[in-house]
PDB file of all heavy atoms in Angstrom:
ATOM      1  N   GLN F   1       9.679  58.520  71.380  1.00 97.00           N
ATOM      2  CA  GLN F   1      10.925  57.831  71.633  1.00 97.00           C
ATOM      3  C   GLN F   1      11.206  56.671  70.720  1.00 97.00           C
ATOM      4  O   GLN F   1      12.330  56.518  70.212  1.00 97.00           O
ATOM      5  CB  GLN F   1      10.996  57.361  73.100  1.00 97.00           C
ATOM      6  CG  GLN F   1      12.359  56.876  73.516  1.00 97.00           C
ATOM      7  CD  GLN F   1      13.442  57.970  73.419  1.00 97.00           C
ATOM      8  OE1 GLN F   1      13.249  59.134  73.921  1.00 97.00           O
ATOM      9  NE2 GLN F   1      14.554  57.664  72.804  1.00 97.00           N
ATOM     10  N   PRO F   2      10.211  55.887  70.378  1.00 97.00           N
ATOM     11  CA  PRO F   2      10.480  54.756  69.402  1.00 97.00           C
ATOM     12  C   PRO F   2      10.953  55.250  68.060  1.00 97.00           C
ATOM     13  O   PRO F   2      11.795  54.632  67.443  1.00 97.00           O
ATOM     14  CB  PRO F   2       9.137  54.029  69.312  1.00 97.00           C
ATOM     15  CG  PRO F   2       8.423  54.329  70.631  1.00 97.00           C
ATOM     16  CD  PRO F   2       8.851  55.725  70.968  1.00 97.00           C
ATOM     17  N   VAL F   3      10.401  56.393  67.605  1.00 97.00           N
ATOM     18  CA  VAL F   3      10.828  56.958  66.367  1.00 97.00           C
ATOM     19  C   VAL F   3      12.289  57.454  66.503  1.00 97.00           C
ATOM     20  O   VAL F   3      13.140  57.184  65.571  1.00 97.00           O
ATOM     21  CB  VAL F   3       9.932  58.130  65.965  1.00 97.00           C
ATOM     22  CG1 VAL F   3      10.448  58.839  64.672  1.00 97.00           C
ATOM     23  CG2 VAL F   3       8.510  57.709  65.772  1.00 97.00           C
ATOM     24  N   HIS F   4      12.600  58.062  67.644  1.00 97.00           N
ATOM     25  CA  HIS F   4      13.971  58.559  67.852  1.00 97.00           C
ATOM     26  C   HIS F   4      14.966  57.386  67.844  1.00 97.00           C
ATOM     27  O   HIS F   4      16.026  57.477  67.261  1.00 97.00           O
ATOM     28  CB  HIS F   4      13.974  59.322  69.200  1.00 97.00           C
ATOM     29  CG  HIS F   4      15.170  60.139  69.472  1.00 97.00           C
ATOM     30  ND1 HIS F   4      16.267  59.658  70.155  1.00 97.00           N
ATOM     31  CD2 HIS F   4      15.515  61.417  69.109  1.00 97.00           C
ATOM     32  CE1 HIS F   4      17.215  60.563  70.204  1.00 97.00           C
ATOM     33  NE2 HIS F   4      16.768  61.657  69.616  1.00 97.00           N
ATOM     34  N   ASP F   5      14.590  56.308  68.568  1.00 96.00           N
ATOM     35  CA  ASP F   5      15.500  55.187  68.668  1.00 96.00           C
ATOM     36  C   ASP F   5      15.699  54.535  67.281  1.00 96.00           C
ATOM     37  O   ASP F   5      16.820  54.174  66.886  1.00 96.00           O
ATOM     38  CB  ASP F   5      14.905  54.126  69.605  1.00 96.00           C
ATOM     39  CG  ASP F   5      14.938  54.591  71.048  1.00 96.00           C
ATOM     40  OD1 ASP F   5      15.651  55.533  71.392  1.00 96.00           O
ATOM     41  OD2 ASP F   5      14.074  54.031  71.876  1.00 96.00           O
ATOM     42  N   HIS F   6      14.625  54.414  66.541  1.00 95.00           N
ATOM     43  CA  HIS F   6      14.730  53.754  65.218  1.00 95.00           C
ATOM     44  C   HIS F   6      15.570  54.610  64.234  1.00 95.00           C
ATOM     45  O   HIS F   6      16.310  54.036  63.466  1.00 95.00           O
ATOM     46  CB  HIS F   6      13.317  53.554  64.606  1.00 95.00           C
ATOM     47  CG  HIS F   6      13.297  52.789  63.399  1.00 95.00           C
ATOM     48  ND1 HIS F   6      13.606  51.440  63.311  1.00 95.00           N
ATOM     49  CD2 HIS F   6      12.917  53.099  62.080  1.00 95.00           C
ATOM     50  CE1 HIS F   6      13.530  51.012  62.106  1.00 95.00           C
ATOM     51  NE2 HIS F   6      13.113  51.972  61.326  1.00 95.00           N
ATOM     52  N   MET F   7      15.419  55.912  64.366  1.00 95.00           N
ATOM     53  CA  MET F   7      16.173  56.818  63.467  1.00 95.00           C
ATOM     54  C   MET F   7      17.693  56.620  63.744  1.00 95.00           C
ATOM     55  O   MET F   7      18.444  56.531  62.753  1.00 95.00           O
ATOM     56  CB  MET F   7      15.789  58.268  63.778  1.00 95.00           C
ATOM     57  CG  MET F   7      16.629  59.366  63.075  1.00 95.00           C
ATOM     58  SD  MET F   7      16.201  61.008  63.523  1.00 95.00           S
ATOM     59  CE  MET F   7      16.660  60.977  65.252  1.00 95.00           C
ATOM     60  N   ARG F   8      18.103  56.534  64.974  1.00 95.00           N
ATOM     61  CA  ARG F   8      19.533  56.388  65.230  1.00 95.00           C
ATOM     62  C   ARG F   8      20.022  54.969  64.801  1.00 95.00           C
ATOM     63  O   ARG F   8      21.123  54.841  64.271  1.00 95.00           O
ATOM     64  CB  ARG F   8      19.772  56.616  66.783  1.00 95.00           C
ATOM     65  CG  ARG F   8      19.583  58.019  67.195  1.00 95.00           C
ATOM     66  CD  ARG F   8      19.873  58.245  68.669  1.00 95.00           C
ATOM     67  NE  ARG F   8      18.970  57.533  69.512  1.00 95.00           N
ATOM     68  CZ  ARG F   8      19.121  57.429  70.840  1.00 95.00           C
ATOM     69  NH1 ARG F   8      20.140  57.964  71.390  1.00 95.00           N
ATOM     70  NH2 ARG F   8      18.213  56.733  71.528  1.00 95.00           N
ATOM     71  N   THR F   9      19.190  53.955  64.911  1.00 94.00           N
ATOM     72  CA  THR F   9      19.589  52.670  64.457  1.00 94.00           C
ATOM     73  C   THR F   9      19.711  52.673  62.954  1.00 94.00           C
ATOM     74  O   THR F   9      20.710  52.106  62.426  1.00 94.00           O
ATOM     75  CB  THR F   9      18.511  51.632  64.880  1.00 94.00           C
ATOM     76  OG1 THR F   9      18.459  51.561  66.355  1.00 94.00           O
ATOM     77  CG2 THR F   9      18.828  50.223  64.353  1.00 94.00           C
ATOM     78  N   GLU F  10      18.768  53.259  62.237  1.00 92.00           N
ATOM     79  CA  GLU F  10      18.880  53.364  60.780  1.00 92.00           C
ATOM     80  C   GLU F  10      20.159  54.063  60.360  1.00 92.00           C
ATOM     81  O   GLU F  10      20.789  53.631  59.399  1.00 92.00           O
ATOM     82  CB  GLU F  10      17.647  54.094  60.254  1.00 92.00           C
ATOM     83  CG  GLU F  10      16.376  53.310  60.145  1.00 92.00           C
ATOM     84  CD  GLU F  10      15.274  54.083  59.470  1.00 92.00           C
ATOM     85  OE1 GLU F  10      15.328  55.349  59.480  1.00 92.00           O
ATOM     86  OE2 GLU F  10      14.363  53.471  58.946  1.00 92.00           O
ATOM     87  N   LEU F  11      20.565  55.101  61.055  1.00 92.00           N
ATOM     88  CA  LEU F  11      21.750  55.867  60.688  1.00 92.00           C
ATOM     89  C   LEU F  11      22.946  54.987  60.835  1.00 92.00           C
ATOM     90  O   LEU F  11      23.786  54.924  59.926  1.00 92.00           O
ATOM     91  CB  LEU F  11      21.884  57.079  61.627  1.00 92.00           C
ATOM     92  CG  LEU F  11      23.193  57.836  61.493  1.00 92.00           C
ATOM     93  CD1 LEU F  11      23.403  58.363  60.056  1.00 92.00           C
ATOM     94  CD2 LEU F  11      23.164  59.055  62.463  1.00 92.00           C
ATOM     95  N   MET F  12      23.099  54.245  61.931  1.00 92.00           N
ATOM     96  CA  MET F  12      24.256  53.393  62.117  1.00 92.00           C
ATOM     97  C   MET F  12      24.294  52.272  61.124  1.00 92.00           C
ATOM     98  O   MET F  12      25.356  51.867  60.582  1.00 92.00           O
ATOM     99  CB  MET F  12      24.253  52.841  63.544  1.00 92.00           C
ATOM    100  CG  MET F  12      24.360  53.899  64.650  1.00 92.00           C
ATOM    101  SD  MET F  12      25.748  55.076  64.362  1.00 92.00           S
ATOM    102  CE  MET F  12      25.280  56.403  65.345  1.00 92.00           C
ATOM    103  N   CYS F  13      23.164  51.711  60.810  1.00 91.00           N
ATOM    104  CA  CYS F  13      23.095  50.617  59.809  1.00 91.00           C
ATOM    105  C   CYS F  13      23.445  51.203  58.409  1.00 91.00           C
ATOM    106  O   CYS F  13      24.119  50.522  57.632  1.00 91.00           O
ATOM    107  CB  CYS F  13      21.668  50.030  59.747  1.00 91.00           C
ATOM    108  SG  CYS F  13      21.252  49.050  61.168  1.00 91.00           S
ATOM    109  N   GLY F  14      23.035  52.405  58.180  1.00 89.00           N
ATOM    110  CA  GLY F  14      23.424  53.093  56.866  1.00 89.00           C
ATOM    111  C   GLY F  14      24.878  53.299  56.755  1.00 89.00           C
ATOM    112  O   GLY F  14      25.491  53.136  55.696  1.00 89.00           O
ATOM    113  N   GLN F  15      25.517  53.624  57.899  1.00 90.00           N
ATOM    114  CA  GLN F  15      26.955  53.846  57.852  1.00 90.00           C
ATOM    115  C   GLN F  15      27.699  52.516  57.574  1.00 90.00           C
ATOM    116  O   GLN F  15      28.686  52.485  56.792  1.00 90.00           O
ATOM    117  CB  GLN F  15      27.462  54.376  59.236  1.00 90.00           C
ATOM    118  CG  GLN F  15      26.944  55.763  59.632  1.00 90.00           C
ATOM    119  CD  GLN F  15      27.761  56.861  58.902  1.00 90.00           C
ATOM    120  OE1 GLN F  15      27.934  56.837  57.701  1.00 90.00           O
ATOM    121  NE2 GLN F  15      28.276  57.833  59.686  1.00 90.00           N
ATOM    122  N   TYR F  16      27.177  51.408  58.090  1.00 91.00           N
ATOM    123  CA  TYR F  16      27.767  50.116  57.818  1.00 91.00           C
ATOM    124  C   TYR F  16      27.541  49.759  56.344  1.00 91.00           C
ATOM    125  O   TYR F  16      28.465  49.253  55.674  1.00 91.00           O
ATOM    126  CB  TYR F  16      27.237  49.067  58.738  1.00 91.00           C
ATOM    127  CG  TYR F  16      27.731  47.677  58.377  1.00 91.00           C
ATOM    128  CD1 TYR F  16      29.031  47.278  58.728  1.00 91.00           C
ATOM    129  CD2 TYR F  16      26.910  46.749  57.630  1.00 91.00           C
ATOM    130  CE1 TYR F  16      29.527  46.025  58.309  1.00 91.00           C
ATOM    131  CE2 TYR F  16      27.431  45.528  57.256  1.00 91.00           C
ATOM    132  CZ  TYR F  16      28.689  45.164  57.639  1.00 91.00           C
ATOM    133  OH  TYR F  16      29.212  43.921  57.238  1.00 91.00           O
ATOM    134  N   LEU F  17      26.350  49.947  55.896  1.00 89.00           N
ATOM    135  CA  LEU F  17      26.057  49.705  54.455  1.00 89.00           C
ATOM    136  C   LEU F  17      26.939  50.433  53.519  1.00 89.00           C
ATOM    137  O   LEU F  17      27.358  49.973  52.471  1.00 89.00           O
ATOM    138  CB  LEU F  17      24.555  49.937  54.131  1.00 89.00           C
ATOM    139  CG  LEU F  17      23.576  49.018  54.777  1.00 89.00           C
ATOM    140  CD1 LEU F  17      22.137  49.513  54.462  1.00 89.00           C
ATOM    141  CD2 LEU F  17      23.713  47.614  54.204  1.00 89.00           C
ATOM    142  N   ASP F  18      27.277  51.720  53.973  1.00 87.00           N
ATOM    143  CA  ASP F  18      28.209  52.514  53.121  1.00 87.00           C
ATOM    144  C   ASP F  18      29.570  51.904  53.096  1.00 87.00           C
ATOM    145  O   ASP F  18      30.179  51.828  52.004  1.00 87.00           O
ATOM    146  CB  ASP F  18      28.254  53.939  53.691  1.00 87.00           C
ATOM    147  CG  ASP F  18      29.004  54.914  52.813  1.00 87.00           C
ATOM    148  OD1 ASP F  18      28.998  54.696  51.562  1.00 87.00           O
ATOM    149  OD2 ASP F  18      29.586  55.870  53.384  1.00 87.00           O
ATOM    150  N   LEU F  19      30.109  51.433  54.242  1.00 88.00           N
ATOM    151  CA  LEU F  19      31.382  50.761  54.258  1.00 88.00           C
ATOM    152  C   LEU F  19      31.353  49.533  53.432  1.00 88.00           C
ATOM    153  O   LEU F  19      32.297  49.233  52.653  1.00 88.00           O
ATOM    154  CB  LEU F  19      31.719  50.410  55.765  1.00 88.00           C
ATOM    155  CG  LEU F  19      32.279  51.470  56.692  1.00 88.00           C
ATOM    156  CD1 LEU F  19      32.434  50.834  58.071  1.00 88.00           C
ATOM    157  CD2 LEU F  19      33.584  51.991  56.186  1.00 88.00           C
ATOM    158  N   LEU F  20      30.293  48.794  53.466  1.00 88.00           N
ATOM    159  CA  LEU F  20      30.120  47.595  52.691  1.00 88.00           C
ATOM    160  C   LEU F  20      30.156  47.863  51.232  1.00 88.00           C
ATOM    161  O   LEU F  20      30.792  47.120  50.424  1.00 88.00           O
ATOM    162  CB  LEU F  20      28.825  46.838  53.115  1.00 88.00           C
ATOM    163  CG  LEU F  20      28.629  45.390  52.762  1.00 88.00           C
ATOM    164  CD1 LEU F  20      29.700  44.534  53.482  1.00 88.00           C
ATOM    165  CD2 LEU F  20      27.252  44.938  53.167  1.00 88.00           C
ATOM    166  N   GLU F  21      29.463  48.966  50.862  1.00 85.00           N
ATOM    167  CA  GLU F  21      29.453  49.329  49.445  1.00 85.00           C
ATOM    168  C   GLU F  21      30.772  49.639  48.940  1.00 85.00           C
ATOM    169  O   GLU F  21      31.152  49.262  47.769  1.00 85.00           O
ATOM    170  CB  GLU F  21      28.506  50.532  49.298  1.00 85.00           C
ATOM    171  CG  GLU F  21      28.079  50.870  47.868  1.00 85.00           C
ATOM    172  CD  GLU F  21      26.956  49.955  47.352  1.00 85.00           C
ATOM    173  OE1 GLU F  21      26.613  49.015  48.028  1.00 85.00           O
ATOM    174  OE2 GLU F  21      26.436  50.268  46.240  1.00 85.00           O
ATOM    175  N   GLN F  22      31.578  50.382  49.705  1.00 82.00           N
ATOM    176  CA  GLN F  22      32.958  50.728  49.291  1.00 82.00           C
ATOM    177  C   GLN F  22      33.795  49.462  49.168  1.00 82.00           C
ATOM    178  O   GLN F  22      34.593  49.296  48.246  1.00 82.00           O
ATOM    179  CB  GLN F  22      33.600  51.698  50.211  1.00 82.00           C
ATOM    180  CG  GLN F  22      32.751  52.919  50.624  1.00 82.00           C
ATOM    181  CD  GLN F  22      32.161  53.649  49.407  1.00 82.00           C
ATOM    182  OE1 GLN F  22      32.823  53.932  48.440  1.00 82.00           O
ATOM    183  NE2 GLN F  22      30.846  54.013  49.587  1.00 82.00           N
ATOM    184  N   ALA F  23      33.602  48.511  50.130  1.00 86.00           N
ATOM    185  CA  ALA F  23      34.417  47.317  50.154  1.00 86.00           C
ATOM    186  C   ALA F  23      34.110  46.416  48.985  1.00 86.00           C
ATOM    187  O   ALA F  23      35.003  45.779  48.457  1.00 86.00           O
ATOM    188  CB  ALA F  23      34.188  46.520  51.427  1.00 86.00           C
ATOM    189  N   HIS F  24      32.824  46.355  48.559  1.00 82.00           N
ATOM    190  CA  HIS F  24      32.480  45.524  47.398  1.00 82.00           C
ATOM    191  C   HIS F  24      33.191  46.005  46.116  1.00 82.00           C
ATOM    192  O   HIS F  24      33.522  45.149  45.242  1.00 82.00           O
ATOM    193  CB  HIS F  24      30.994  45.560  47.181  1.00 82.00           C
ATOM    194  CG  HIS F  24      30.239  44.744  48.143  1.00 82.00           C
ATOM    195  ND1 HIS F  24      28.846  44.852  48.339  1.00 82.00           N
ATOM    196  CD2 HIS F  24      30.638  43.813  49.043  1.00 82.00           C
ATOM    197  CE1 HIS F  24      28.455  44.020  49.232  1.00 82.00           C
ATOM    198  NE2 HIS F  24      29.510  43.403  49.692  1.00 82.00           N
ATOM    199  N   GLY F  25      33.405  47.291  46.022  1.00 74.00           N
ATOM    200  CA  GLY F  25      34.090  47.859  44.862  1.00 74.00           C
ATOM    201  C   GLY F  25      33.246  48.040  43.650  1.00 74.00           C
ATOM    202  O   GLY F  25      33.603  48.763  42.739  1.00 74.00           O
ATOM    203  N   GLU F  26      32.067  47.422  43.608  1.00 70.00           N
ATOM    204  CA  GLU F  26      31.152  47.609  42.483  1.00 70.00           C
ATOM    205  C   GLU F  26      29.785  47.961  43.125  1.00 70.00           C
ATOM    206  O   GLU F  26      29.458  47.415  44.200  1.00 70.00           O
ATOM    207  CB  GLU F  26      31.052  46.338  41.620  1.00 70.00           C
ATOM    208  CG  GLU F  26      32.268  46.090  40.792  1.00 70.00           C
ATOM    209  CD  GLU F  26      32.512  47.114  39.726  1.00 70.00           C
ATOM    210  OE1 GLU F  26      31.572  47.778  39.275  1.00 70.00           O
ATOM    211  OE2 GLU F  26      33.685  47.325  39.316  1.00 70.00           O
ATOM    212  N   ASN F  27      29.036  48.726  42.426  1.00 78.00           N
ATOM    213  CA  ASN F  27      27.708  49.087  42.976  1.00 78.00           C
ATOM    214  C   ASN F  27      26.714  49.278  41.864  1.00 78.00           C
ATOM    215  O   ASN F  27      27.069  49.544  40.733  1.00 78.00           O
ATOM    216  CB  ASN F  27      27.772  50.329  43.843  1.00 78.00           C
ATOM    217  CG  ASN F  27      28.121  51.556  43.113  1.00 78.00           C
ATOM    218  OD1 ASN F  27      28.939  51.501  42.165  1.00 78.00           O
ATOM    219  ND2 ASN F  27      27.568  52.691  43.555  1.00 78.00           N
ATOM    220  N   THR F  28      25.452  49.114  42.229  1.00 88.00           N
ATOM    221  CA  THR F  28      24.375  49.407  41.338  1.00 88.00           C
ATOM    222  C   THR F  28      23.623  50.658  41.860  1.00 88.00           C
ATOM    223  O   THR F  28      23.827  51.044  43.025  1.00 88.00           O
ATOM    224  CB  THR F  28      23.366  48.234  41.238  1.00 88.00           C
ATOM    225  OG1 THR F  28      22.745  48.060  42.553  1.00 88.00           O
ATOM    226  CG2 THR F  28      24.050  46.920  40.876  1.00 88.00           C
ATOM    227  N   PHE F  29      22.807  51.233  40.993  1.00 90.00           N
ATOM    228  CA  PHE F  29      22.037  52.349  41.444  1.00 90.00           C
ATOM    229  C   PHE F  29      21.185  51.990  42.647  1.00 90.00           C
ATOM    230  O   PHE F  29      21.002  52.747  43.584  1.00 90.00           O
ATOM    231  CB  PHE F  29      21.225  52.922  40.310  1.00 90.00           C
ATOM    232  CG  PHE F  29      20.471  54.220  40.648  1.00 90.00           C
ATOM    233  CD1 PHE F  29      21.133  55.449  40.545  1.00 90.00           C
ATOM    234  CD2 PHE F  29      19.180  54.209  41.119  1.00 90.00           C
ATOM    235  CE1 PHE F  29      20.442  56.620  40.885  1.00 90.00           C
ATOM    236  CE2 PHE F  29      18.528  55.338  41.464  1.00 90.00           C
ATOM    237  CZ  PHE F  29      19.199  56.600  41.339  1.00 90.00           C
ATOM    238  N   GLU F  30      20.617  50.797  42.595  1.00 91.00           N
ATOM    239  CA  GLU F  30      19.677  50.336  43.657  1.00 91.00           C
ATOM    240  C   GLU F  30      20.418  50.224  44.949  1.00 91.00           C
ATOM    241  O   GLU F  30      19.881  50.567  45.999  1.00 91.00           O
ATOM    242  CB  GLU F  30      19.015  49.021  43.196  1.00 91.00           C
ATOM    243  CG  GLU F  30      18.012  49.134  42.078  1.00 91.00           C
ATOM    244  CD  GLU F  30      18.632  49.414  40.723  1.00 91.00           C
ATOM    245  OE1 GLU F  30      19.866  49.048  40.587  1.00 91.00           O
ATOM    246  OE2 GLU F  30      17.960  49.929  39.906  1.00 91.00           O
ATOM    247  N   SER F  31      21.654  49.618  44.920  1.00 90.00           N
ATOM    248  CA  SER F  31      22.379  49.424  46.161  1.00 90.00           C
ATOM    249  C   SER F  31      22.797  50.813  46.752  1.00 90.00           C
ATOM    250  O   SER F  31      22.805  51.016  47.948  1.00 90.00           O
ATOM    251  CB  SER F  31      23.555  48.486  45.980  1.00 90.00           C
ATOM    252  OG  SER F  31      24.535  49.074  45.065  1.00 90.00           O
ATOM    253  N   ALA F  32      23.263  51.686  45.859  1.00 89.00           N
ATOM    254  CA  ALA F  32      23.640  53.036  46.245  1.00 89.00           C
ATOM    255  C   ALA F  32      22.439  53.781  46.821  1.00 89.00           C
ATOM    256  O   ALA F  32      22.619  54.532  47.807  1.00 89.00           O
ATOM    257  CB  ALA F  32      24.262  53.819  45.124  1.00 89.00           C
ATOM    258  N   LEU F  33      21.303  53.562  46.231  1.00 90.00           N
ATOM    259  CA  LEU F  33      20.094  54.203  46.727  1.00 90.00           C
ATOM    260  C   LEU F  33      19.746  53.697  48.129  1.00 90.00           C
ATOM    261  O   LEU F  33      19.369  54.484  49.034  1.00 90.00           O
ATOM    262  CB  LEU F  33      18.950  53.894  45.841  1.00 90.00           C
ATOM    263  CG  LEU F  33      17.518  54.370  46.235  1.00 90.00           C
ATOM    264  CD1 LEU F  33      17.454  55.836  46.484  1.00 90.00           C
ATOM    265  CD2 LEU F  33      16.501  53.985  45.173  1.00 90.00           C
ATOM    266  N   ARG F  34      19.865  52.400  48.399  1.00 89.00           N
ATOM    267  CA  ARG F  34      19.659  51.880  49.684  1.00 89.00           C
ATOM    268  C   ARG F  34      20.549  52.517  50.764  1.00 89.00           C
ATOM    269  O   ARG F  34      20.122  52.910  51.841  1.00 89.00           O
ATOM    270  CB  ARG F  34      19.834  50.318  49.693  1.00 89.00           C
ATOM    271  CG  ARG F  34      19.526  49.695  51.043  1.00 89.00           C
ATOM    272  CD  ARG F  34      19.646  48.199  50.999  1.00 89.00           C
ATOM    273  NE  ARG F  34      21.102  47.855  50.703  1.00 89.00           N
ATOM    274  CZ  ARG F  34      21.633  46.642  51.061  1.00 89.00           C
ATOM    275  NH1 ARG F  34      20.920  45.730  51.614  1.00 89.00           N
ATOM    276  NH2 ARG F  34      22.881  46.430  50.790  1.00 89.00           N
ATOM    277  N   VAL F  35      21.809  52.632  50.438  1.00 86.00           N
ATOM    278  CA  VAL F  35      22.780  53.273  51.351  1.00 86.00           C
ATOM    279  C   VAL F  35      22.334  54.723  51.585  1.00 86.00           C
ATOM    280  O   VAL F  35      22.293  55.178  52.753  1.00 86.00           O
ATOM    281  CB  VAL F  35      24.193  53.234  50.791  1.00 86.00           C
ATOM    282  CG1 VAL F  35      25.128  54.144  51.634  1.00 86.00           C
ATOM    283  CG2 VAL F  35      24.717  51.837  50.728  1.00 86.00           C
ATOM    284  N   ALA F  36      22.015  55.448  50.520  1.00 84.00           N
ATOM    285  CA  ALA F  36      21.581  56.865  50.661  1.00 84.00           C
ATOM    286  C   ALA F  36      20.399  57.024  51.548  1.00 84.00           C
ATOM    287  O   ALA F  36      20.302  57.951  52.308  1.00 84.00           O
ATOM    288  CB  ALA F  36      21.343  57.438  49.278  1.00 84.00           C
ATOM    289  N   LEU F  37      19.430  56.124  51.408  1.00 87.00           N
ATOM    290  CA  LEU F  37      18.208  56.183  52.191  1.00 87.00           C
ATOM    291  C   LEU F  37      18.519  56.032  53.683  1.00 87.00           C
ATOM    292  O   LEU F  37      18.076  56.812  54.526  1.00 87.00           O
ATOM    293  CB  LEU F  37      17.211  55.136  51.770  1.00 87.00           C
ATOM    294  CG  LEU F  37      16.211  55.490  50.709  1.00 87.00           C
ATOM    295  CD1 LEU F  37      15.348  54.329  50.289  1.00 87.00           C
ATOM    296  CD2 LEU F  37      15.314  56.660  51.191  1.00 87.00           C
ATOM    297  N   TYR F  38      19.267  54.990  54.033  1.00 85.00           N
ATOM    298  CA  TYR F  38      19.528  54.683  55.436  1.00 85.00           C
ATOM    299  C   TYR F  38      20.606  55.608  56.036  1.00 85.00           C
ATOM    300  O   TYR F  38      20.454  55.967  57.213  1.00 85.00           O
ATOM    301  CB  TYR F  38      19.985  53.253  55.559  1.00 85.00           C
ATOM    302  CG  TYR F  38      18.827  52.271  55.554  1.00 85.00           C
ATOM    303  CD1 TYR F  38      18.401  51.747  54.364  1.00 85.00           C
ATOM    304  CD2 TYR F  38      18.117  52.007  56.691  1.00 85.00           C
ATOM    305  CE1 TYR F  38      17.295  50.868  54.282  1.00 85.00           C
ATOM    306  CE2 TYR F  38      17.039  51.100  56.675  1.00 85.00           C
ATOM    307  CZ  TYR F  38      16.601  50.518  55.466  1.00 85.00           C
ATOM    308  OH  TYR F  38      15.547  49.705  55.453  1.00 85.00           O
ATOM    309  N   LYS F  39      21.582  55.984  55.277  1.00 79.00           N
ATOM    310  CA  LYS F  39      22.635  56.796  55.821  1.00 79.00           C
ATOM    311  C   LYS F  39      22.335  58.281  55.879  1.00 79.00           C
ATOM    312  O   LYS F  39      22.733  59.023  56.764  1.00 79.00           O
ATOM    313  CB  LYS F  39      23.894  56.657  54.968  1.00 79.00           C
ATOM    314  CG  LYS F  39      25.105  57.409  55.548  1.00 79.00           C
ATOM    315  CD  LYS F  39      26.293  57.257  54.559  1.00 79.00           C
ATOM    316  CE  LYS F  39      27.464  58.094  55.081  1.00 79.00           C
ATOM    317  NZ  LYS F  39      28.610  58.098  54.136  1.00 79.00           N
ATOM    318  N   SER F  40      21.442  58.737  54.961  1.00 79.00           N
ATOM    319  CA  SER F  40      21.173  60.244  54.899  1.00 79.00           C
ATOM    320  C   SER F  40      19.705  60.515  54.771  1.00 79.00           C
ATOM    321  O   SER F  40      19.177  61.256  55.579  1.00 79.00           O
ATOM    322  CB  SER F  40      21.943  60.774  53.732  1.00 79.00           C
ATOM    323  OG  SER F  40      21.665  62.167  53.659  1.00 79.00           O
ATOM    324  N   GLY F  41      19.027  59.959  53.765  1.00 82.00           N
ATOM    325  CA  GLY F  41      17.680  60.371  53.432  1.00 82.00           C
ATOM    326  C   GLY F  41      16.681  60.227  54.626  1.00 82.00           C
ATOM    327  O   GLY F  41      15.945  61.172  54.869  1.00 82.00           O
ATOM    328  N   LYS F  42      16.672  59.106  55.250  1.00 91.00           N
ATOM    329  CA  LYS F  42      15.698  58.900  56.280  1.00 91.00           C
ATOM    330  C   LYS F  42      15.941  59.785  57.502  1.00 91.00           C
ATOM    331  O   LYS F  42      14.961  60.392  58.011  1.00 91.00           O
ATOM    332  CB  LYS F  42      15.652  57.425  56.653  1.00 91.00           C
ATOM    333  CG  LYS F  42      15.001  56.475  55.738  1.00 91.00           C
ATOM    334  CD  LYS F  42      15.014  55.061  56.169  1.00 91.00           C
ATOM    335  CE  LYS F  42      14.254  54.134  55.262  1.00 91.00           C
ATOM    336  NZ  LYS F  42      12.780  54.380  55.409  1.00 91.00           N
TER     337      LYS F  42
END
């Protein structure tokens, strides 16, 4: 259950980071990678 809970939290945080990335208008590979990890990869 702790893994399950953490996975869902990571997903929601990743969705927010994605919104933030679009709002910034500029991105680096490292910031895009962070979004990809939390929103999808993990």
Side-chain angles (χ1 to χ4, degrees):
Q1 191 61 49
V3 177
H4 193 267
D5 293 338
H6 187 66
M7 174 184 65
R8 291 182 294 172
T9 297
E10 281 184 337
L11 172 58
M12 299 308 163
C13 290
Q15 293 281 53
Y16 175 76
L17 288 174
D18 188 30
L19 281 177
L20 199 61
E21 193 80 351
Q22 312 309 317
H24 284 166
E26 291 293 335
N27 65 324
T28 64
F29 185 84
E30 290 71 24
S31 65
L33 173 59
R34 182 180 64 157
V35 172
L37 268 176
Y38 280 91
K39 184 184 175 185
S40 180
K42 285 179 174 289

